[in-house]
Amino acid sequence: MAEWFPGFAPLPDGDGTRFRAAAGPHPALHLLLYDAPGDAAPARAVTLRRDAHFRDGTWEVRVPGVGAGQHYAWSVDGARPLLDPCAVAVSGPARFGRDDPGRPRPPRSRVNGDARFKSIVVAPPEPLAAARPRTAWRDTVIYEVHVRGFTRGGGPGAGTYAALADRAPYLRDLGVTAVELLPCHEFDDHEPRHGEGLFNFWGYSPIAWNAPNRRYAADAGAYDGPVREFRAMAEALHRAGIELFLDVVFNHTGELDAAGPVWHGKALDRERFYLVQPRTGDLANLTGCGNTVRAQHPAMRAMIRDSLRWWVHGLGVDGFRFDLAAILARDADGALLDDPPLLREIEEDPLLSGVKLIAEAWDAADGYLVPRWPGGARWAVWNDRFRDDVRSAWLREGPAATLATRLCGSSDLFRGPLRGVNYVTAHDGFTLRDVVSYDRKHNLANGEKNRDGHSHSVSWNHGVEGPARNAATAAARDRSRRNLVASLLLAQGVPMLLAGDEIGRTQAGNNNAWCHDGPLTWLDWSGLEDDAAFHRFVKGLLRLRKECPALRRAAFLEGGDAGDVRWFGPDGDGPDWDGDAFGYRLSGRAEHTGTEGDGPDVAVLVNVGDDACTFALPRGRWRVRVDTAAEPPGDLPAEASPRESTWTLEGRSLAVLLSASMPK
């Protein structure tokens, strides 16, 4: 057996298959075997007895004559078919939550009546052929992507893993080094609160953690089609030098609350899968999704580690972003732990060595752990304070001193700059264009009377809500976009871009578009032409970041006479941190950057105020490489004469200068 194949997934073995299930000490457990995916009744059932097949919390049986492609289900009562939570493939309707046309929807407790959804036996695939890029953290630039949303707007095989693979050359040309996919496991997209045509699009409602989603596969009818196509996408990205990260959801499942559907865990072993409130016996809801996974239970820890191994070695994933990861730091009573066993085991697992680990270090309760994430040195953390503080500085007159802290790696939050994943936009919230076009959310299309989504967006419409009505407003918004993305890509730490921001993607002011599978969330690729100037600007900044080791440090900056950073105000002396303008010079010498060779010194000038100011430049000869106040193509000057003394910086803008003694 391959060590990385999920331990609870059925494993073909010669002329039979070994089945295992994490379930409670029921009198019996039933394995239902089906001849075809559409069969309502099993061809045969294998009954597992507690005295013969149950040991140490695990049920196990080997069934002769069963191999890859076999459809199956578990059952506690011999009647209700349950999906295998550890299956690597499932069959059934394309949407978990959608019934056949004209067919009444069954009660939620009988959501899988007639075994419309089944698990499938899949043999461990051969090792992947393409070498992994293994990009260093300091060189990593993440691009957050929804497989279907990124590709549904055009091109062959739209909406599929294959279509994303075809976009690998675009991603390489842009300059990103990793794509981070929103959840790709099988998930329940039924949302009873919403109207017709609204479904869970993002995927944060897992049903089968290990099964690549069939809706993103061109050949979803083949029992192993999604597995093969996900692997092919991973290899295409690897050949392009791009790593593949996956957003994983181990904090809750699509079984929701007590009134929600029963897919597996509620029936197999409710108190093993979920946190239960001791006084009432109800499912604890620390996620805002109806239930909370009991992450520290030994069986759940094993299932989670097995799932990660499978995605890495079976499917080609290079890193993970853990959704609502504070749940993974809670004990059986829901209390936050200082040293959670699950986090330690993930970090120390030899089969997960070299895998990048990223935590969304909060949950829907009191678990905000960004400044004190209890994982070890291998973990990075989403830096939501970077998002809010950078937006505030450029759009809401936030303090310049806080912006300086964020640009230099957020030493108030982390033990090193590479421990923070910086972003100004993500799937949850406004797109970059909408951040500069809307003061308030416009979520009526979500069917919740605009009550959903954050009301504190830290955005600015530049005087007009929605599309710009004149050239001046459009130009001001473009300058703000340049300021925001420049702050992101010049900052110390690991930057993350939201897919489509580089070509002006908009969601019409919707800051919570999780339930839309349509033009609102599909990337409109006409932006490559319509927003070509900004696309060029983002590409140029990514090239600049790659050229300058001083922008990609592994250690915090140190000041002083012999340090690697010198701060200054417009007059050349120390900055006034109560003011609007400051500058800093970063040393590009190898002894400071920790790289093999010297790079250029970098001077960054920042002015968050409305009025222009003139900076006395540090000693030396400088070439201007970025000027966010200039209209394209002047925002990235192709040729600039060396400057030795001063530079006038317009209000609400920043500039980047490189030492002229180094190559441009």
Side-chain angles (χ1 to χ4, degrees), residues 392-642:
S392 180
W394 291 114
L395 306 178
R396 293 291 185 89
E397 299 181 351
T402 303
L403 175 60
T405 299
R406 299 294 163 247
L407 290 173
C408 290
S410 298
S411 59
D412 58 331
L413 303 177
F414 306 119
R415 285 169 281 180
L418 300 181
R419 300 292 293 275
V421 173
N422 301 327
Y423 63 101
V424 291
T425 53
H427 68 276
D428 186 3
F430 283 145
T431 67
L432 185 60
R433 180 175 287 281
D434 289 355
V435 165
V436 301
S437 303
Y438 295 90
D439 277 356
R440 58 188 183 275
K441 62 185 181 181
H442 294 261
N443 297 355
L444 283 173
N446 297 357
E448 296 189 50
K449 299 181 179 180
N450 211 39
R451 291 191 297 261
D452 64 305
H454 289 292
S455 296
H456 180 64
S457 292
V458 196
S459 60
W460 179 34
N461 67 13
H462 292 75
V464 177
E465 189 77 356
R469 299 175 185 173
N470 55 58
T473 299
R477 289 176 175 178
D478 285 346
R479 179 185 293 195
S480 289
R481 282 200 296 163
R482 291 193 291 269
N483 289 332
L484 291 168
V485 78
S487 298
L488 173 65
L489 297 180
L490 295 171
Q492 305 295 333
V494 180
M496 184 185 77
L497 291 161
L498 174 63
D501 274 353
E502 76 279 9
I503 57 173
R505 175 173 171 251
T506 178
Q507 291 180 164
N510 193 317
N511 74 351
N512 190 36
W514 65 278
C515 55
H516 295 273
D517 183 3
L520 187 71
T521 52
W522 298 347
L523 181 55
D524 182 357
W525 286 93
S526 66
L528 273 173
E529 296 183 4
D530 298 342
D531 206 17
F534 191 67
H535 179 252
R536 168 185 171 272
F537 183 74
V538 175
K539 283 180 60 176
L541 283 172
L542 286 168
R543 286 196 303 271
L544 178 65
R545 183 178 180 87
K546 188 174 182 180
E547 290 173 13
C548 300
L551 299 175
R552 299 179 281 107
R553 294 171 47 89
F556 284 127
L557 300 165
E558 296 183 6
D561 294 339
D564 43 22
V565 61
R566 187 176 79 80
W567 298 89
F568 54 90
D571 60 3
D573 294 329
D576 175 9
W577 292 119
D578 293 324
D580 295 327
F582 65 89
Y584 57 100
R585 174 179 184 163
L586 301 174
S587 168
R589 294 169 58 183
E591 64 184 274
H592 291 144
T593 63
T595 54
E596 292 184 1
D598 290 343
D601 283 6
V602 180
V604 180
L605 313 179
V606 176
N607 182 6
V608 299
D610 292 323
D611 300 325
C613 63
T614 299
F615 276 86
L617 296 177
R619 181 180 303 176
R621 290 167 61 81
W622 299 92
R623 292 185 184 273
V624 180
R625 288 293 300 272
V626 179
D627 180 5
T628 63
E631 294 295 314
D635 51 355
L636 293 176
E639 295 290 340
S641 301

Side-chain angles (χ1 to χ4, degrees), residues 86-350:
C86 297
V88 300
V90 300
S91 66
R95 293 184 182 274
F96 269 85
R98 191 173 181 84
D99 290 285
D100 297 332
R103 174 177 177 168
R105 183 172 180 83
R108 298 289 275 172
S109 62
R110 299 286 296 174
V111 72
N112 199 26
D114 297 334
R116 296 173 60 240
F117 298 93
K118 302 174 180 68
S119 306
I120 311 174
V121 176
V122 175
E126 295 296 320
L128 290 96
R132 297 177 185 271
R134 300 196 182 280
T135 307
W137 264 122
R138 67 184 301 157
D139 301 324
T140 297
V141 178
I142 302 170
Y143 189 80
E144 192 193 35
V145 175
H146 187 287
V147 170
R148 184 169 169 84
F150 186 62
T151 61
R152 185 64 178 84
T160 64
Y161 303 122
L164 194 146
D166 288 341
R167 292 289 183 180
Y170 169 81
L171 297 167
R172 179 177 57 196
D173 179 67
L174 181 62
V176 299
T177 71
V179 295
E180 182 176 296
L181 303 182
L182 267 67
C184 288
H185 49 229
E186 291 283 7
F187 59 88
D188 188 350
D189 61 7
H190 176 66
E191 292 298 333
R193 296 170 298 171
H194 297 266
E196 185 67 25
L198 297 180
F199 305 97
N200 184 336
F201 179 63
W202 287 350
Y204 293 94
S205 189
I207 298 297
W209 282 323
N210 299 332
N213 196 291
R214 292 160 296 147
R215 292 183 63 215
Y216 307 155
D219 188 12
Y223 77 88
D224 62 346
V227 169
R228 287 188 287 101
E229 293 180 32
F230 190 99
R231 283 166 54 90
M233 173 190 65
E235 298 213 87
L237 291 170
H238 288 167
R239 286 193 295 271
I242 297 170
E243 292 187 308
L244 176 59
F245 299 170
L246 185 64
D247 199 332
V248 287
V249 186
F250 296 120
N251 59 80
H252 76 283
T253 76
E255 293 194 299
L256 307 180
D257 55 18
V262 177
W263 289 109
H264 40 56
K266 285 181 182 176
L268 290 173
D269 195 338
R270 182 172 176 267
E271 295 194 3
R272 177 186 301 197
F273 276 75
Y274 302 114
L275 296 185
V276 176
Q277 297 179 12
R279 292 183 180 178
T280 65
D282 295 334
L283 295 176
N285 183 15
L286 306 179
T287 62
C289 301
N291 64 62
T292 306
V293 166
R294 187 178 173 183
Q296 305 308 325
H297 190 287
M300 296 305 296
R301 299 204 310 263
M303 291 168 66
I304 291 170
R305 293 197 314 273
D306 283 352
S307 180
L308 298 176
R309 291 171 173 180
W310 161 242
W311 285 102
V312 171
H313 298 285
L315 297 170
V317 170
D318 304 291
F320 298 97
R321 180 262 191 189
F322 293 80
D323 179 65
L324 294 185
I327 295 300
L328 308 184
R330 292 187 181 274
D331 65 12
D333 297 322
L336 293 164
L337 299 170
D338 293 330
D339 184 20
L342 174 61
L343 302 186
R344 184 173 2 99
E345 290 172 4
I346 290 172
E347 188 168 10
E348 295 175 355
D349 190 326

